[in-house]
Amino acid sequence: MKNLEISVRSRKRCEMIDITSKINSVLREQQIADATITVFTPHTTAAITINENADPDVARDMLYGLAKLIPADPQFKHAEGNSDAHLKSSLVGVSETLIVEGGQLLLGTWQGIYFCEFDGPRTRRILLKRSEG
Ligand code: ZN
């Protein structure tokens, strides 16, 4: 099966974008009922994570906390000036594995899937790869 791809457009330098409904749409379109799905973003200044999507303050606080943990630092040498974004990408990680059963994502009640932008705004790619199971 070919790789599935979705794209997202970020609007800010740092942003958490809930992509749960986009992934559910792909599952419906592709009639994926039982599988594991790897969600991967092929970028060095972005990430994929799963966390609470009920209270939007959680996503806001995650960005705030990451910025406190990894501030821009004048001692970074990388000429693009976005080393903080590279560090956040590796810390959060560029992929997640999802379980699909009976056509439904097995997520906790409060969980959503986020694309994490750390150096936007940009148009970004997200690849989905299905394994049977
Ligand atoms: Zn860079």
Side-chain angles (χ1 to χ4, degrees):
M1 180 180 180
K2 69 176 173 62
N3 285 326
L4 303 167
E5 182 166 336
I6 56 181
S7 74
V8 293
R9 172 81 192 151
S10 58
R11 305 281 169 199
K12 302 175 187 169
R13 179 159 195 264
C14 293
E15 187 175 5
M16 303 273 286
I17 300 173
D18 188 338
I19 57 170
T20 312
S21 62
K22 279 181 183 261
I23 291 175
N24 273 321
S25 296
V26 171
L27 297 179
R28 275 192 304 274
E29 284 162 19
Q30 300 294 320
Q31 299 182 317
I32 297 171
D34 292 283
T36 55
I37 306 281
T38 300
V39 182
F40 171 82
T41 190
H43 302 289
T44 60
T45 55
I48 302 288
T49 196
I50 297 172
N51 215 300
E52 175 168 336
N53 68 353
D55 178 359
D57 281 343
V58 172
R60 179 258 171 217
D61 287 352
M62 287 178 70
L63 291 177
Y64 173 75
L66 284 167
K68 280 193 77 165
L69 201 60
I70 307 173
D73 184 327
Q75 297 211 45
F76 285 148
K77 291 192 171 180
H78 174 47
E80 278 189 319
N82 61 354
S83 286
D84 60 322
H86 288 292
L87 268 74
K88 289 173 187 172
S89 172
S90 278
L91 184 69
V92 177
V94 293
S95 70
E96 288 284 353
T97 303
L98 308 174
I99 302 168
V100 183
E101 214 172 81
Q104 301 292 315
L105 281 170
L106 293 192
L107 290 170
T109 305
W110 310 110
Q111 286 181 319
I113 306 152
Y114 283 98
F115 173 83
C116 309
E117 176 63 81
F118 298 128
D119 195 27
R122 306 187 197 209
T123 299
R124 300 291 209 167
R125 300 170 64 209
I126 300 166
L127 306 177
L128 306 179
K129 181 71 176 181
R130 168 189 185 172
S131 308
E132 296 303 320

